[in-house]
Structures are given as structure tokens and as C-alpha cells.
């Protein structure tokens, strides 16, 4: 897949987190699935990964699925 760079502003944190990733799957929107893509993060600095993991873990209660 294509390599990308993503930047995240984590709420309550003044640091911009920049992570590299690779597109590993793409869903075109249809009647069965919403549009979207899966990103595999690569070459991630531990601090950026830790901040993103912490934020996402704190938000998982908003999902209708178990992760």
C-alpha cells in the first residue's frame, strides 16, 4: 500500500503527534460497508505511539464494538 504521514492533535496535550503509516486495506462505500481504510503504523516513535494509544483507549467506550 501507499505510505502516508498522519498528524494528530491529542486533546489535553499540546504536542502534535506525527506518525508514518501504510495503507493496508480500502473499503469503497457500498450498501454493506462504509467507506474507509486501514492503516498500519510503521517506524513510530514510542512517545507518539504511547500518546495515541492512551487517547484511543480512553475513547473506546464511544464505540459499539469491543476492541
Amino acid at each position: 500500500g501507499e505510505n502516508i504521514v498522519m498528524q494528530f492533535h491529542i486533546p489535553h496535550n499540546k504536542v502534535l503527534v506525527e506518525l508514518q503509516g501504510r495503507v493496508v486495506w480500502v473499503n469503497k462505500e457500498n450498501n454493506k460497508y462504509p467507506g474507509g481504510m486501514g492503516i498500519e503504523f510503521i517506524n513510530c516513535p514510542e512517545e507518539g505511539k504511547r500518546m495515541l494509544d492512551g487517547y484511543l483507549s480512553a475513547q473506546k467506550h464511544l464505540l459499539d464494538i469491543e476492541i
Side-chain angles (χ1 to χ4, degrees):
E2 187 166 332
N3 289 338
I4 61 171
V5 175
M6 299 177 71
Q7 296 179 330
F8 300 93
H9 285 280
I10 310 273
H12 310 295
N13 188 328
K14 298 191 185 319
V15 177
L16 177 67
V17 177
E18 184 172 286
L19 300 174
Q20 295 179 21
R22 179 181 315 122
V23 178
V24 292
W25 57 262
V26 175
N27 278 347
K28 298 200 188 258
E29 190 168 348
N30 60 41
N31 292 335
K32 194 171 183 180
Y33 301 107
M37 67 178 71
I39 305 296
E40 174 186 17
F41 291 108
I42 54 176
N43 303 322
C44 296
E46 283 302 314
E47 181 68 9
K49 191 170 144 181
R50 183 189 63 74
M51 286 191 288
L52 184 59
D53 283 345
Y55 175 73
L56 293 176
S57 291
Q59 303 306 309
K60 68 182 179 182
H61 68 280
L62 299 173
L63 299 174
D64 289 336
I65 59 173
E66 189 172 319
I67 55 173

